[in-house]
Amino acid sequence: MEVLLIGEHKMKIVLTERDVSELGINIKTPISDTPASRRSMWRVLERAGKMSGFDHTSDKMLIQIYPDRSRGCELFVTKLGLLSKENAGLVSSSKTVTVLARATACYRFLSEENVAEALRALKKHPSGVCPKGEVYYDGGGSYYLLLEEIGKCDNTPELPLILEFGDRLNGDAPIFVSEHFTRISDCPLI
């Protein structure tokens, strides 16, 4: 992998055929928007960030993929924070673009059994994605699952199946839960 910084808000990443294979990137259909493909792309950003100092965690990222003749590819990564809100919204809403961001999502479950079922379903999910998470208890019967999600910046759950067992809370819920409720454990079943 080669990384070239193009200013503070952009970088170019060159991946060889071997890099593409090791990182699980499908360059034949680069716009496939699945949890596994988003996480593969996040691994590329993490590795490139370590090599170059580029901070990919502070903003939404626009990633453009261009396959090359040697079965590798070039990625152009742009922080969307440098765009006006109007232009960033246009980019984010495009059907041919996927925008990535990492965030902590908070889910509330009304029983211990519901959170256990959600964790089992996540473990068996066909994507193979196993997000990091923590379980909290509020002392009044509700359980909370804080999950690290890599999503499309539109508040859609990375793995929507979890909504069969509980509700997603918005806003500052992850901060509130982690500060005020009792942490039971890291996700034990994932």
Side-chain angles (χ1 to χ4, degrees):
M1 174 186 300
E2 263 184 73
V3 180
L4 173 67
L5 291 178
I6 308 170
E8 186 179 333
H9 301 283
K10 285 185 134 183
M11 75 173 157
K12 175 183 175 182
I13 304 168
V14 180
L15 300 176
T16 64
E17 179 181 12
R18 182 177 177 189
D19 294 329
V20 167
S21 176
E22 286 176 4
L23 292 163
I25 298 170
N26 184 350
I27 60 173
K28 293 178 183 171
T29 55
I31 303 298
S32 82
D33 188 19
T34 64
S37 67
R38 286 192 298 269
R39 287 191 175 260
S40 292
M41 200 54 60
W42 200 260
R43 282 192 300 274
V44 170
L45 294 176
E46 286 176 335
R47 189 181 288 178
K50 286 177 184 173
M51 292 172 66
S52 67
F54 186 84
D55 181 13
H56 66 285
T57 62
S58 64
D59 209 336
K60 296 176 185 178
M61 297 290 132
L62 170 66
I63 302 169
Q64 298 168 287
I65 302 174
Y66 300 99
D68 64 24
R69 292 182 197 140
S70 66
R71 298 186 188 187
C73 65
E74 292 182 347
L75 306 172
F76 289 88
V77 181
T78 306
K79 292 181 183 182
L80 290 181
L82 71 110
L83 298 176
S84 68
K85 283 189 178 195
E86 183 179 290
N87 287 339
L90 289 172
V91 169
S92 296
S93 65
S94 170
K95 297 208 185 298
T96 61
V97 171
T98 296
V99 180
L100 293 181
R102 181 174 56 184
T104 300
C106 181
Y107 296 91
R108 179 182 57 212
F109 304 90
L110 300 179
S111 71
E112 184 176 7
E113 182 58 29
N114 285 351
V115 74
E117 287 177 20
L119 291 171
R120 283 191 289 274
L122 286 171
K123 184 177 181 180
K124 293 177 184 176
H125 194 271
S127 71
V129 169
C130 292
K132 295 177 186 174
E134 300 174 328
V135 178
Y136 289 82
Y137 180 64
D138 70 1
S142 292
Y143 291 82
Y144 299 82
L145 176 59
L146 302 185
L147 280 183
E148 178 186 269
E149 293 186 334
I150 297 176
K152 300 185 286 185
C153 308
D154 62 359
N155 209 25
T156 301
E158 180 179 20
L159 299 166
L161 70 90
I162 200 166
L163 297 174
E164 295 176 28
F165 308 99
D167 299 315
R168 185 175 176 152
L169 305 178
N170 294 321
D172 293 331
I175 295 168
F176 184 85
V177 166
S178 66
E179 289 179 357
H180 297 284
F181 299 149
T182 303
R183 182 173 171 260
I184 295 174
S185 69
D186 292 333
C187 294
L189 302 175
I190 295 181

